[in-house]
Amino acid sequence: SAVISQKPSRDICQRGTSLTIQCQVDSQVTMMFWYRQQPGQSLTLIATANQGSEATYESGFVIDKFPISRPNLTFSTLTVSNMSPEDSSIYLCSVEVHGLAGGGDTQYFGPGTRLTVL
Amino acid sequence: GENVEQHPSTLSVQEGDSAVIKCTYSDSASNYFPWYKQELGKRPQLIIDIRSNVGEKKDQRIAVTLNKTAKHFSLHITETQPEDSAVYFCAASTLGAQKLVFGQGTRLTINP
């Protein structure tokens, strides 16, 4: 597995402002992912962050709203820009971990950042 | 794109009984099917997964079955315990452990 941390764990922000969420993993990983989990809902993939290339965004998510950085193999940031109350969600990063001894790859999640926009 | 449907949305069982959660997927190219357990306020935790070259996988009280023809897979929990109470999510992917598409979740409650 992998040890994944996120900062901040929670925040309350005013509409119109931006928040940058950090994700740190204890080992080098190629693929990192950012998800959104709206209150009481399932997880939705925002984008895939591959080190050394631009992030790939899923339908309904755009770079201007959710810019992502991936400066190295252990770190990524997600910025939620020009926030509105509809952006209130839990934002989770995850990493793909390659299996050992022929085992398949798996995906592990960070603890999440609970964002409330007033 | 891929679409994953999960049923039921809530499930209540007596302690010691079995629980079954079912998911269907739309893309026949999907090849990876993990199950996550999420306790209140916690991160989703991988509890078991299965790949398309396998029909069944078991880990102690938890098992997953996959029917590729019907495009559905199920989570089976036997001898349920109060600590099994949580929200369970299924997911599917056509790219191995990347680009997971999640089901809507099942809130499982184990009654003592």
Side-chain angles (χ1 to χ4, degrees):
Chain A
S1 64
V3 177
I4 307 166
S5 60
Q6 285 185 235
K7 290 181 184 180
S9 59
R10 60 178 60 227
D11 207 341
I12 300 173
C13 301
Q14 296 298 318
R15 70 172 66 209
T17 62
S18 298
L19 177 71
T20 295
I21 302 167
Q22 299 178 4
C23 179
Q24 179 79 51
V25 62
D26 69 340
S27 57
Q28 294 185 338
V29 295
T30 302
M31 307 296 287
M32 296 181 78
F33 308 90
W34 287 98
Y35 289 82
R36 181 174 72 183
Q37 187 174 28
Q38 294 178 302
Q41 302 296 313
S42 185
L43 292 85
T44 301
L45 181 63
I46 297 172
T48 300
N50 194 355
Q51 196 271 335
S53 62
E54 294 289 322
T56 303
Y57 289 83
E58 298 301 306
S59 176
F61 298 97
V62 295
I63 187 171
D64 290 346
K65 177 67 175 177
F66 298 102
I68 288 171
S69 77
R70 183 79 202 276
N72 58 52
L73 291 172
T74 62
F75 187 79
S76 178
T77 67
L78 170 76
T79 298
V80 186
S81 303
N82 188 25
M83 289 184 285
S84 67
E86 292 72 35
D87 294 319
S88 296
S89 288
I90 298 172
Y91 292 86
L92 299 121
C93 69
S94 70
V95 303
E96 181 189 27
V97 176
H98 297 304
L100 300 175
D105 298 343
T106 50
Q107 202 173 122
Y108 292 96
F109 284 85
T113 295
R114 182 179 295 273
L115 171 62
T116 302
V117 184
L118 302 178
Chain B
E2 176 67 279
N3 183 55
V4 178
E5 297 286 333
Q6 183 172 345
H7 299 281
S9 57
T10 61
L11 180 60
S12 182
V13 302
Q14 289 298 120
E15 182 178 355
D17 289 350
S18 296
V20 180
I21 302 170
K22 299 181 179 180
C23 289
T24 60
Y25 60 98
S26 61
D27 194 333
S28 57
S30 289
N31 54 21
Y32 178 62
F33 308 92
W35 286 88
Y36 289 86
K37 174 184 180 182
Q38 188 175 33
E39 297 175 87
L40 188 63
K42 301 289 183 62
R43 73 186 79 191
Q45 287 190 304
L46 179 71
I47 57 172
I48 196 167
D49 58 8
I50 192 167
R51 288 170 172 79
S52 57
N53 59 343
V54 175
E56 183 174 0
K57 185 177 179 180
K58 190 173 183 179
D59 183 3
Q60 300 183 0
R61 298 187 295 109
I62 295 173
V64 56
T65 58
L66 171 64
N67 183 325
K68 288 189 294 182
T69 302
K71 291 190 285 188
H72 69 70
F73 56 111
S74 299
L75 177 71
H76 304 253
I77 306 175
T78 59
E79 302 173 15
T80 54
Q81 301 168 2
E83 52 265 37
D84 294 329
S85 294
V87 178
Y88 291 81
F89 293 99
C90 65
S93 171
T94 60
L95 291 174
Q98 301 176 22
K99 294 198 67 169
L100 298 178
V101 177
F102 282 82
Q104 298 89 339
T106 297
R107 182 173 300 277
L108 175 63
T109 302
I110 308 302
N111 301 307

